[in-house]
Amino acid sequence: MAPGPGSSDEKNETCGSESTVNVHNPHLDGMKDDILYHFNLGTSTHNLPAMFGDVKFVCVGGSPWRMKSFIEYIAGELSLEDPKAEYPNICAGTDRYAMYKIGPVLSVSHGMGIPSIAIMLHELIKLLYHARCTDVTIVRIGTSGGLGRPREFI
């Protein structure tokens, strides 16, 4: 993910056209093991660069079912695999979130509400960092709350 406007990050500037995922935590690299508890993943139990290093697009949405349906759709659209194939939930060891991957696309559910999405994004950014992903785009897909407009405008 590219640095924000006005920021000057030497690490990103020296990588040429690639932009690495940055985590502004000076203690992260010194940790023996980083456990991404809600994803049921860890740096010592999983080879995160091998599993996720090719991720370029992350699509997040509220419902686990919708995110599985989305990855099946993407599989067909990108002709990467059979859309009707079985796509296992990478976070199967936990009931908090669901995660599916096809090629460079990662699909993650975040549940409902700001606390749930905040926890998911925190662990997602660390996951992308540990996997050494570059040039990642994160998009939220799904519905949102009402805007207070009368129904005839919707």
Side-chain angles (χ1 to χ4, degrees):
M1 294 182 335
S7 70
S8 136
D9 186 344
E10 274 185 43
K11 186 175 182 181
N12 282 337
E13 291 173 349
T14 60
C15 288
S17 64
E18 288 189 349
S19 178
T20 58
V21 174
N22 274 324
V23 177
H24 298 287
N25 181 342
H27 307 288
L28 198 58
D29 288 329
M31 294 177 69
K32 180 179 176 184
D33 183 24
D34 192 2
I35 299 170
L36 306 174
Y37 177 80
H38 298 93
F39 287 165
N40 196 34
L41 298 169
T43 56
S44 68
T45 56
H46 297 83
N47 185 344
L48 300 180
M51 293 174 69
F52 301 101
D54 64 337
V55 169
K56 296 294 180 190
F57 303 97
V58 180
C59 297
V60 301
S63 160
W65 175 86
R66 189 177 334 131
M67 299 323 293
K68 183 173 185 176
S69 178
F70 173 76
I71 211 69
E72 292 167 349
Y73 172 77
I74 289 298
E77 287 297 306
L78 298 180
S79 301
L80 294 172
E81 288 185 30
D82 179 5
K84 301 205 184 302
E86 187 59 35
Y87 297 99
N89 178 3
I90 298 168
C91 297
T94 179
D95 62 354
R96 178 62 66 118
Y97 302 109
M99 180 184 296
Y100 304 93
K101 183 178 180 298
I102 182 78
V105 181
L106 188 64
S107 174
V108 187
S109 69
H110 59 65
M112 188 169 62
I114 293 172
S116 182
I117 195 171
I119 293 167
M120 185 277 299
L121 287 173
H122 177 81
E123 290 194 5
L124 175 65
I125 297 301
K126 289 190 346 175
L127 169 66
L128 297 171
Y129 173 81
H130 289 306
R132 298 184 202 106
C133 295
T134 58
D135 300 324
V136 179
T137 300
I138 300 174
V139 177
R140 184 191 180 276
I141 57 176
T143 58
S144 65
L147 299 174
R149 297 211 172 248
R151 189 165 181 85
E152 63 268 11
F153 290 113
I154 297 177

